[in-house]
Amino acid sequence: MLVSAVLAMSLIACQQSENSQTTKTDAKNASEKSQQAMKKEMPKVEAEDLSYLIDEHSYANKDEVLLTHLDLDLEVLFDKKQLKGHVDLSFERLQSNAQQLILDTRDLTIDRVTSIDSDGNETDTQFVLADKDAVLGSKLTVELKDGEEKVRIYYNSNPQASGLQWLTPEQTAGKKEPFMFSQAQAIHARSFIPVQDSPDVRVTYKANIKTPKQLLAVMSAYNEPNTPLDGDYQFDMPQAIPPYLIAIGVGDLQFKSMGPRTGVYSEAAYLDSSAKEFEDTEQMIDITEAMYGPYLWGRYDLLILPPSFPFGGMENPRLSFITPTVIAGDKSLINLIAHELAHSWSGNLVTNATWRDLWLNEGFTSYVENRIMEELFDENRSEMENALSVQGLRQQVKSLPVGDTILHITLDGRDPDDAFSGVPYTKGQMFLVFLEQRFGRETFDKFLNQYFGDFAFKSLTTPEFEKYLDKHLIAKYPGKVTQAEIDEWLHSPMLPEFMPNPQSNAFIKVDAASADFISGKLALNDMVTDKWSIHEWLHFINNLPQDISLEKMAELDKAFDLTTTTNNEVAHAWLKLAINRGYGVVNQRLEDYLISIGRRKLIVPLYKALMDTKQGDFAKRVYAIARSGYHPLAQGTVDAIVNPAKPVSK
Ligand SMILES: [Zn+2]
């Protein structure tokens, strides 16, 4: 997933207070239970602390009974905001005497559970759906019969499903048809499928999806580009993926090819512009294959979502979900596509086993993303993007709880969405840049290639990675990196003093021009900006003095039309500065911006700045209009900022 450094503080502020109290006990019980199971299974290693293997965010008894395949048969009911039907769960008994299959659910209605024999005959089976925990949802326990290998669960999701967003026609670009899409990471798959919702579990899946006839369904599976529009769609995902990568989108979608393996699905409004903006996707695949080995997933398509999608992108395999806010017209924000594609190696192929190990997923992906950008453009571009990321990280760590600045984070039952900050992304990436610098790019690339190969279609934890790193890199080339340095990177808070500090020559020139403008030495007419990239503009605005005068702001606005810029990132940076300085000229634009976009990275810091600067009335008024267009995840985040005293349920 691509979120941003800037939003994490608000995410943590709201979700921590919302969830942590209620979940600790249950998470502890779940942990103790898995621990007992593990001890039973592995008596010889009792002395070693294996707690790092426990996924505290799942009730699943995956050490006893492990899901292997799902067959989904669901109808998409827009009027009820429900997915309704059944799922067949195939499993393997890791302990032959296991009597129960334990699954994760959240806000699901379970009608009936049956056992299916090899001839397809069904017999009713006992099940218990426990009370809901605020973070984990409800544990579903299914009694197993001897020899049974498949159960069927009849269920429906409910309108409040945290992993689904239901949009009215008015909330789409086309305004004629409704739209629905899922977002399962981190633990939201359980809100639309009863499943062992742990990144350590991998399943293949097939799906029959029924929709209104005029709509198209797409999934994180093989999508037939020329499928007839008939409201009855079949999908097959033959590669085993963790449940958080199961994804579905349904809407008035069209397809446009971009290359032999690539294309976009989108509403008509974004079809041509997105296919043009992202036309380099095929080349990005070639570049990544040359560096890290073959792309193993068949096709790679993009689904362009309505602007309410709360994230930049989501790396759903074979079909990344993408915000339209990065269609800038000049490819200035397509590092997002590089990021989601990079997950086809780091994350989707090699996965973090628990959410405490998220940096193994996002840090590697941010590293690979930047390498793709360097190859596709040049070092100048990749350096600017790195410098901006690190600036954001340095800013963010100042306001994060100190424990959240550790790569191998401790979550203690908190919502795993809390783990998403610039730390796993950019600190994780800088750790890999550090290793690359110490060992040399050639050696480090060989190591990465072998790593992706050795752990393909597997999940691993940070301690397991450390052992692998030591064996295949550190010990193999002694004297380059010390154990103390590795420990500081992975287990110490804040940023190591020896962290690489990416610099951009282009930014040094921008800084000089900015300083001269602020001091009055340089008039804006004489400032040469016509060749500035979006990155240079972002650097310029982000680094203007926080006490810049309103006159200077008006001067900049007049010269460069910053209030009306169509680049969403530049607009965000400018609006944030304007809020902090009380530059009210932007207010209409700010209102339009907050109502038309639901991407958390772009809206959350603006609401926060409004509240921090005592412009709460404005924030509340605009949010009252905008809220219904936001995704449940964005609503939860903004609710807590705009109405901090009022407890909110997600
Ligand atoms: Zn990501």
Side-chain angles (χ1 to χ4, degrees):
M1 181 161 37
L2 192 67
V3 292
S4 153
V6 287
L7 75 83
M9 187 177 65
S10 353
L11 282 183
I12 283 157
C14 74
Q15 295 189 339
Q16 186 179 14
S17 57
E18 204 178 304
N19 299 321
S20 59
Q21 295 304 317
T22 47
T23 60
K24 271 190 180 153
T25 319
D26 278 19
K28 192 162 160 272
N29 290 345
S31 295
E32 277 170 3
K33 195 169 178 309
S34 337
Q35 226 161 3
Q36 281 161 6
M38 213 168 289
K39 275 180 191 158
K40 249 188 273 165
E41 212 184 350
M42 296 185 273
K44 283 179 195 154
V45 288
E46 258 178 3
E48 195 186 345
D49 178 8
L50 294 173
S51 55
Y52 64 84
L53 291 171
I54 294 167
D55 182 358
E56 66 198 291
H57 295 106
S58 172
Y59 288 117
N61 58 338
K62 58 192 170 67
D63 302 314
E64 300 171 355
V65 181
L66 186 64
L67 292 188
T68 54
H69 177 80
L70 314 183
D71 285 290
L72 291 154
D73 196 330
L74 295 170
E75 189 166 1
V76 183
L77 302 172
F78 279 97
D79 53 342
K80 294 182 175 165
K81 297 187 181 176
Q82 286 182 355
L83 295 182
K84 186 172 176 64
H86 58 77
V87 58
D88 290 356
L89 303 167
S90 304
F91 51 83
E92 188 184 339
R93 285 174 200 252
L94 301 182
Q95 292 192 12
S96 53
N97 58 350
Q99 302 290 314
Q100 295 178 330
L101 167 65
I102 300 179
L103 303 168
D104 297 296
T105 76
R106 180 186 297 128
D107 296 326
L108 295 183
T109 302
I110 308 292
D111 293 325
R112 187 181 166 209
V113 181
T114 63
S115 158
I116 302 183
D117 68 18
S118 50
D119 297 326
N121 299 317
E122 291 182 62
T123 46
D124 278 301
T125 291
Q126 297 292 315
F127 67 92
V128 177
L129 186 64
D131 288 343
K132 181 182 170 181
D133 172 272
V135 170
L136 299 181
S138 304
K139 175 165 76 170
L140 175 63
T141 307
V142 175
E143 298 300 324
L144 295 184
K145 299 184 172 117
D146 285 346
E148 182 186 22
E149 286 172 356
K150 199 192 263 192
V151 296
R152 175 172 293 176
I153 300 179
Y154 293 85
Y155 74 99
N156 62 263
S157 69
N158 280 296
Q160 71 271 33
S162 60
L164 300 177
Q165 189 178 14
W166 301 86
L167 296 172
T168 62
E170 295 70 40
Q171 292 169 326
T172 67
K175 313 280 179 207
K176 287 194 190 121
E177 301 290 350
F179 201 114
M180 185 278 294
F181 64 85
S182 66
Q183 165 59 40
Q185 196 183 31
I187 55 169
H188 304 287
R190 63 189 67 178
S191 73
F192 57 97
I193 306 171
V195 70
Q196 290 183 324
D197 196 6
S198 166
D200 195 27
V201 172
R202 280 180 178 267
V203 292
T204 52
Y205 77 83
K206 288 187 179 179
N208 290 320
I209 303 293
K210 290 204 171 49
T211 71
K213 280 199 168 43
Q214 70 280 20
L215 301 184
L216 181 66
V218 288
M219 289 192 83
S220 56
Y222 178 75
N223 290 276
E224 170 56 52
N226 300 312
T227 191
L229 202 64
D230 58 4
D232 192 358
Y233 304 102
Q234 280 72 45
F235 300 95
D236 185 7
M237 184 61 182
Q239 285 109 346
I241 55 169
Y244 79 84
L245 293 175
I246 299 174
I248 179 169
V250 179
D252 188 6
L253 296 168
Q254 297 178 21
F255 175 78
K256 184 161 185 169
S257 174
M258 295 191 295
R261 287 185 284 185
T262 54
V264 283
Y265 290 90
S266 166
E267 286 191 81
Y270 303 121
L271 194 65
D272 290 337
S273 57
S274 58
K276 180 88 188 97
E277 190 81 6
F278 307 137
E279 65 188 357
D280 298 321
T281 307
E282 194 84 32
Q283 200 188 337
M284 287 185 183
I285 301 178
D286 296 340
I287 286 169
T288 323
E289 286 187 312
M291 290 192 290
Y292 304 118
Y295 176 77
L296 295 173
W297 305 86
R299 289 192 60 83
Y300 181 69
D301 295 317
L302 307 174
L303 171 63
I304 312 302
L305 291 164
S308 65
F309 185 52
F311 303 109
M314 178 62 209
E315 65 271 21
N316 298 317
R318 295 174 177 231
L319 183 71
S320 287
F321 286 17
I322 304 294
T323 171
T325 63
V326 293
I327 307 171
D330 58 5
K331 301 185 181 179
S332 57
L333 306 175
I334 61 167
N335 63 306
L336 180 93
I337 306 298
H339 182 94
E340 304 312 334
L341 172 68
H343 273 300
S344 305
W345 284 262
S346 47
N348 299 3
L349 194 61
V350 180
T351 311
N352 49 292
T354 82
W355 295 112
R356 300 184 299 276
D357 308 301
L358 179 64
W359 78 274
L360 283 172
N361 187 329
E362 296 299 354
F364 277 74
T365 297
S366 300
Y367 176 83
V368 173
E369 165 200 329
N370 198 254
R371 291 287 302 273
I372 296 172
M373 294 306 284
E374 182 184 322
E375 291 296 318
L376 187 64
F377 293 91
D378 52 25
E379 275 186 22
N380 188 34
R381 171 84 178 242
S382 58
E383 278 169 0
M384 287 195 293
E385 293 186 352
N386 270 346
L388 284 171
S389 302
V390 170
Q391 278 177 24
L393 175 67
R394 288 191 189 284
Q395 202 55 40
Q396 190 188 26
V397 292
K398 290 183 205 160
S399 53
L400 280 177
V402 72
D404 290 358
T405 63
I406 298 172
L407 278 184
H408 190 210
I409 191 173
T410 301
L411 286 167
D412 282 337
R414 281 162 61 195
D415 192 318
D417 286 347
D418 289 358
F420 287 82
S421 75
V423 171
Y425 287 78
T426 306
K427 184 178 174 183
Q429 177 196 358
M430 287 302 120
F431 173 45
L432 302 186
V433 170
F434 163 85
L435 292 175
E436 181 202 302
Q437 289 176 353
R438 291 289 181 92
F439 291 93
R441 183 170 273 193
E442 201 180 326
T443 303
F444 188 61
D445 277 355
K446 268 192 206 145
F447 166 79
L448 273 188
N449 257 292
Q450 193 186 349
Y451 169 73
F452 289 139
D454 286 348
F455 289 97
F457 298 106
K458 292 182 187 147
S459 306
L460 81 163
T461 62
T462 303
E464 287 165 332
F465 171 76
E466 282 180 83
K467 277 186 203 149
Y468 186 87
L469 176 72
D470 188 56
K471 184 172 170 196
H472 295 278
L473 199 64
I474 313 282
K476 206 166 161 187
Y477 305 97
K480 305 248 186 222
V481 168
T482 66
Q483 188 56 44
E485 286 170 323
I486 299 292
D487 286 343
E488 182 161 352
W489 272 110
L490 296 178
H491 305 293
S492 292
M494 305 310 283
L495 307 175
E497 274 187 23
F498 47 85
M499 183 172 96
N501 194 27
Q503 296 291 338
S504 152
N505 288 331
F507 288 175
I508 293 169
K509 289 183 195 153
V510 171
D511 288 339
S514 177
D516 287 348
F517 162 64
I518 293 296
S519 68
K521 262 195 251 168
L522 182 68
L524 286 183
N525 285 343
D526 300 327
M527 205 156 115
V528 186
T529 59
D530 51 335
K531 293 214 171 65
W532 277 12
S533 63
I534 291 302
H535 307 86
E536 284 156 299
W537 276 112
L538 281 171
H539 178 80
F540 175 72
I541 298 170
N542 285 340
N543 289 283
L544 283 169
Q546 283 304 302
D547 59 355
I548 183 173
S549 70
L550 295 180
E551 290 73 26
K552 288 264 182 220
M553 286 196 72
E555 228 183 294
L556 284 168
D557 208 2
K558 186 157 178 250
F560 305 122
D561 295 328
L562 293 171
T563 298
T564 52
T565 176
T566 52
N567 185 290
N568 287 308
E569 295 270 1
V570 173
H572 170 84
W574 177 249
L575 291 171
K576 194 161 147 234
L577 179 69
I579 294 169
N580 286 331
R581 289 298 301 123
Y583 179 65
V585 175
V586 302
N587 280 3
Q588 187 55 50
R589 167 71 170 130
L590 176 61
E591 180 171 340
D592 296 343
Y593 188 89
L594 290 171
I595 291 170
S596 62
I597 293 175
R599 184 178 170 193
R600 289 201 295 192
K601 169 190 170 177
L602 298 180
I603 59 169
V604 167
L606 300 183
Y607 280 110
K608 194 149 198 336
L610 283 167
M611 298 307 289
D612 287 348
T613 53
K614 311 233 174 327
Q615 299 174 72
D617 289 345
F618 179 89
K620 285 186 172 115
R621 183 179 64 74
V622 174
Y623 184 46
I625 305 167
R627 190 179 188 279
S628 64
Y630 291 168
H631 188 280
L633 293 171
Q635 289 177 347
T637 310
V638 182
D639 281 348
I641 295 167
V642 173
N643 302 306
K646 203 173 95 190
V648 285
S649 58
K650 273 174 75 176

